[in-house]
Amino acid sequence: MTTTTTTRIILENKKKFSLAKLLLEGRAFLALILIIVVFSLLSPNYFTVENILIMASHVAIYALLGMGMLMVILNGGIDLSVGSTLGFSAIIGGFLLQGVPINFLGVTLFPSVPVVVLLSCGVGALVGFVNGILVSRFKVAPFVATLGMLYVVRGLALLMTNGLTINDLAGDPELGNTGIEWLGFNRILGIPVGVIIMGVVAIILGFVLGRTKFGRWMYAAGGNERAAELSGVPVRRVKVWVYVISGICASIAGLILASTLTSASPTAGNTYELTAIAAVVIGGAALTGGRGNVRGTLLGAFVICFLSDGLVIVGVSAYWQMVFMGAVIVVAVLLNTLQYGRRRKPAAPAAPAAPTAVAPQTSDQSLLTRSSKD
């Protein structure tokens, strides 16, 4: 076979599989386009500027949770506590805005909104830190550790409020604690603030993953933790930090949600952890770790929100909405299996040839040998 023929065969094979690979890798984007086209035909109010901005505000909450979840999944773990962390951070923010009584001094503190945001994010980081310590130091399975934290954090939120919602977070101008509604209602150049925050977080995390040593460590540890550790990657430290990042992202999402609703509910974010995982999976990340990116997770969040909002607009029953969302997640997992599950196993190394055993000579053989020599 000539070199020209070999080259032609290689090029033909590349062309043959390029379309399938393109469709598989771009499935989230294609699904989003299909959703927009279908619901635009079903409802003239769907693809309008105002409705797109409203849906983008909903996307921001799920995308923030999804991006935090992406960090954990890339590292080979999972975080089931993000929904509870979202609700608990919102409760912390509402509790601080209502005033913190200091009984032994006889005063009540009313922190400003920036202080409330920092403290709420600190609570989310603390929850993530505990998750990271349990997983990295005490070797607790990520599923078990974060499932336990899900109940602990949700229980703390219910205890702080006795199961009641904290309403009226607007604050008082005389107390200097106003402005929380800025996160949920205000717009900059016509774009909701929550969407801008989502974009900023996406840029930061995308830079971390693509341009920093920490991002390379994360991918390496998620692909093969033992090999990364032997290569000098601080696997335990990276694992703690990814959970901290996930907790902070959940806190930011909780504050945006509380600002949008002007209230903080202890049950807010219930089952949102499943939506975050779905956004990551739809975006093409591998649940086994080491594969995925921020762009795909954003597309996954857009697919989920644009689909769910579209179903609401056209009047589909809430029960059927659950069916459609479940079907989308199952299909996404199947496509991930097609993309990542068919890796060829490396050929097993040839077994070394067994050394030839030298049979010991018997006394008769030794006598014959000596006789022949003589």
Side-chain angles (χ1 to χ4, degrees):
M1 184 180 293
T2 63
T3 306
T4 306
T5 306
T6 305
T7 306
R8 181 170 56 81
I9 293 174
I10 293 173
L11 292 175
E12 286 176 357
N13 289 334
K14 287 183 177 180
K15 290 179 181 179
K16 184 186 299 183
F17 295 103
S18 61
L19 180 59
K21 183 179 180 182
L22 179 64
L23 292 176
L24 192 59
E25 293 182 350
R27 59 187 178 272
F29 179 74
L30 295 175
L32 180 60
I33 297 299
L34 180 62
I35 289 169
I36 292 174
V37 171
V38 170
F39 285 109
S40 297
L41 295 175
L42 294 176
S43 174
N45 298 321
Y46 180 79
F47 199 62
T48 61
V49 174
E50 186 60 29
N51 192 55
I52 289 174
L53 291 175
I54 293 173
M55 290 191 295
S57 299
H58 300 161
V59 171
I61 296 170
Y62 294 121
L64 286 167
L65 287 178
M67 287 186 287
M69 183 70 72
L70 174 68
M71 301 295 109
V72 179
I73 288 178
L74 284 178
N75 196 241
I78 198 165
D79 189 356
L80 299 180
S81 66
V82 291
S84 297
T85 304
L86 179 150
F88 187 50
S89 298
I91 289 297
I92 292 294
F95 178 77
L96 293 174
L97 289 171
Q98 294 291 321
V100 182
I102 302 179
N103 296 326
F104 69 92
L105 293 179
V107 298
T108 301
L109 296 179
F110 293 90
S112 62
V113 169
V115 174
V116 170
V117 171
L118 289 176
L119 291 176
S120 298
C121 290
V123 168
L126 178 61
V127 173
F129 179 77
V130 173
N131 283 330
I133 290 296
L134 289 174
V135 173
S136 65
R137 300 292 180 181
F138 295 98
K139 304 300 181 183
V140 181
F143 184 91
V144 176
T146 58
L147 180 63
M149 288 302 295
L150 179 153
Y151 287 108
V152 169
V153 174
R154 184 70 71 188
L156 290 175
L158 292 168
L159 284 171
M160 288 182 64
T161 60
N162 290 322
L164 303 175
T165 299
I166 301 177
N167 297 306
D168 190 19
L169 301 182
D172 190 340
E174 296 181 358
L175 300 174
N177 62 345
T178 59
I180 190 64
E181 70 279 356
W182 185 81
L183 293 174
F185 288 105
N186 277 27
R187 296 186 178 187
I188 298 176
L189 300 176
I191 303 175
V193 173
V195 177
I196 295 175
I197 294 174
M198 174 189 71
V200 171
V201 172
I203 292 172
I204 293 173
L205 293 182
F207 177 81
V208 168
L209 288 178
R211 301 291 182 179
T212 65
K213 185 185 297 184
F214 180 79
R216 293 192 293 272
W217 287 347
M218 198 183 307
Y219 280 110
N224 190 324
E225 183 173 317
R226 180 57 180 165
E229 191 172 14
L230 293 174
S231 301
V233 175
V235 172
R236 290 185 177 181
R237 195 195 324 161
V238 171
K239 194 168 292 186
V240 172
W241 272 108
V242 295
Y243 282 99
V244 170
I245 293 171
S246 178
I248 293 174
C249 288
S251 295
I252 297 173
L255 291 172
I256 293 175
L257 180 61
S259 173
T260 303
L261 302 175
T262 63
S263 63
S265 171
T267 59
N270 191 27
T271 72
Y272 278 26
E273 58 276 353
L274 303 180
T275 307
I277 296 172
V280 175
V281 172
I282 293 172
L287 289 174
T288 52
R291 292 180 175 88
N293 53 60
V294 173
R295 180 180 64 255
T297 300
L298 285 177
L299 284 173
F302 271 95
V303 168
I304 290 174
C305 289
F306 275 40
L307 175 60
S308 60
D309 287 354
L311 293 172
V312 171
I313 290 174
V314 299
V316 175
S317 166
Y319 304 128
W320 277 108
Q321 291 179 33
M322 296 176 64
V323 173
F324 281 118
M325 294 304 300
V328 168
I329 294 171
V330 170
V331 171
V333 172
L334 289 176
L335 292 176
N336 272 20
T337 303
L338 290 175
Q339 184 176 5
Y340 300 124
R342 293 185 175 180
R343 290 177 291 178
R344 293 181 178 178
K345 294 182 179 180
T356 304
V358 178
Q361 293 181 339
T362 62
S363 57
D364 295 337
Q365 289 174 332
S366 59
L367 288 172
L368 289 173
T369 304
R370 283 200 298 267
S371 300
S372 61
K373 286 182 179 179
D374 295 335

